[in-house]
């Protein structure tokens, strides 16, 4: 005689099936966990927090280069010296030139240069010293040797006097450098963009000139002439 338990035979079979299914589910879970590197996926909330933090950090980054105040003051001092020197070179080599003495009997000078007639400038060294303290060495050589495309504007003549080329033709120019103003835009501790504000002579309208200066072993220099 069989003694019946609490569960029928069919109920026992159902229980066994559920137990096997549970074991299989646990096994599948651990297999998936191992395949993903042993870590659970990040929640959407954590990812959202990370994105928000990254965006906030990007917004607060400073724009452009900001040097120390001492460097900015050094740049300003340099511009104040370079602007008038630039105009001096512009006048001497491009838009005006120096007066000269005529050759005896009105002849054309044999060496192609007239003797300069000036109490202020009497030697080539004086002129080139201004050029060298204003521009980078590379651009200074261009001004001294061939600024307008037909050779050096000045040279030392055979008698030791300062000479100006006989064919000097002033470049047309109609701007006033009276009381110029400027702004500086530092690029690094040794590079700086500048804007110089002058006026058109014709109607007094504002003219803006873009330039650049760099710090060399001899100090700050313009990289080109400002027109």
């Amino acid at each position: 005689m069989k003694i019946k338990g609490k569960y029928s035979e069919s109920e026992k079979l159902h229980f066994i099936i559920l137990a096997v299914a549970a074991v299989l589910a646990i096994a599948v879970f651990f297999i998936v966990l191992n395949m993903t590197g042993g870590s659970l996926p990040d929640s959407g909330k954590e990812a959202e927090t990370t994105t928000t933090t990254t965006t906030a950090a990007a917004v607060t980054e400073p724009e452009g280069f900001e040097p120390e105040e001492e460097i900015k003051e050094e740049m300003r001092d340099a511009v104040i010296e370079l602007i008038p020197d630039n105009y001096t070179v512009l006048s001497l080599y491009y838009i005006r030139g120096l007066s000269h003495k005529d050759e005896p009997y009105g002849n054309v000078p044999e060496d192609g240069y007239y003797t300069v007639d000036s109490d202020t400038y009497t030697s080539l060294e004086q002129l080139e010293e201004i050029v060298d303290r204003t521009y980078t060495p590379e651009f200074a050589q261009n001004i001294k040797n061939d600024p307008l495309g037909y050779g050096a504007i000045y040279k030392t003549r055979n008698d030791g006097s300062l000479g100006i080329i006989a064919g000097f033709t002033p470049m047309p120019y109609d701007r006033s450098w009276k009381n110029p103003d400027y702004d500086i835009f530092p690029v690094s501790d040794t590079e700086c963009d500048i804007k110089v504000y002058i006026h058109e002579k014709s109607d007094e309208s504002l003219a803006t000139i873009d330039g650049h200066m760099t710090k060399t072993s001899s100090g700050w220099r313009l990289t080109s002439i400002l027109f």
Side-chain angles (χ1 to χ4, degrees), residues 9-28:
E9 292 295 328
S10 62
E11 288 175 330
K12 289 180 179 180
L13 180 60
H14 180 66
F15 178 79
I16 291 170
I17 292 172
L18 290 176
V20 171
V23 170
L24 290 175
I26 293 172
V28 171

Side-chain angles (χ1 to χ4, degrees), residues 209-226:
I209 303 172
D210 294 316
H212 185 83
M213 65 179 185
T214 184
K215 190 173 185 179
T216 70
S217 58
S218 302
W220 288 93
R221 299 291 186 267
L222 295 173
T223 57
S224 64
I225 194 160
L226 307 180

Side-chain angles (χ1 to χ4, degrees), residues 98-99 101 116-123 126:
L98 292 171
S99 300
K101 301 175 182 177
V116 167
D117 185 13
S118 171
D119 294 330
T120 303
Y121 302 105
T122 58
S123 71
Q126 284 179 285

Side-chain angles (χ1 to χ4, degrees), residues 62-78:
E63 296 183 2
F65 176 76
E66 185 67 22
E68 295 182 359
E69 188 59 36
E70 182 180 355
I71 299 297
K72 290 173 68 174
E73 194 63 30
E74 182 182 303
M75 292 174 175
R76 294 188 192 100
D77 290 342

Side-chain angles (χ1 to χ4, degrees), residues 12 97 114 116 133 152 158 169 173 176 207-208 215 218:
K12 289 180 179 180
Y114 289 106
V116 167
R133 77 187 185 208
N158 293 334
T169 304
Y173 195 76
S176 171
T208 302
K215 190 173 185 179
S218 302

Side-chain angles (χ1 to χ4, degrees), residues 140-160:
Q141 286 301 313
N142 176 269
I143 293 177
K144 291 185 285 187
N145 296 329
D146 193 17
L148 294 173
Y150 48 82
I153 303 301
Y154 300 97
K155 80 166 193 175
T156 300
R157 302 193 71 189
N158 293 334
D159 61 0

Side-chain angles (χ1 to χ4, degrees), residues 19-139:
V20 171
V23 170
L24 290 175
I26 293 172
V28 171
F29 173 81
F30 281 105
I31 290 172
V32 173
L33 187 63
N34 288 332
M35 291 178 64
T36 58
S39 60
L40 295 173
D42 292 336
S43 67
K45 184 175 182 181
E46 183 178 351
E48 182 181 350
T49 303
T50 303
T51 303
T52 303
T53 303
T54 303
T55 304
V59 170
T60 57
E61 289 180 358
E63 296 183 2
F65 176 76
E66 185 67 22
E68 295 182 359
E69 188 59 36
E70 182 180 355
I71 299 297
K72 290 173 68 174
E73 194 63 30
E74 182 182 303
M75 292 174 175
R76 294 188 192 100
D77 290 342
V79 172
I80 291 172
E81 293 181 359
L82 291 172
I83 286 177
D85 280 345
N86 174 82
Y87 180 68
T88 298
V89 174
L90 181 62
S91 296
L92 289 171
Y93 285 82
Y94 293 87
I95 63 174
R96 190 166 297 144
L98 292 171
S99 300
H100 67 266
K101 301 175 182 177
D102 290 334
E103 292 288 285
Y105 309 109
N107 293 331
V108 176
E110 293 182 1
D111 63 356
Y113 286 79
Y114 289 106
T115 296
V116 167
D117 185 13
S118 171
D119 294 330
T120 303
Y121 302 105
T122 58
S123 71
L124 183 62
E125 290 73 21
Q126 284 179 285
L127 302 181
E128 294 190 342
E129 191 277 329
I130 302 172
V131 175
D132 289 335
R133 77 187 185 208
T134 307
Y135 306 97
T136 56
E138 297 79 9
F139 194 76

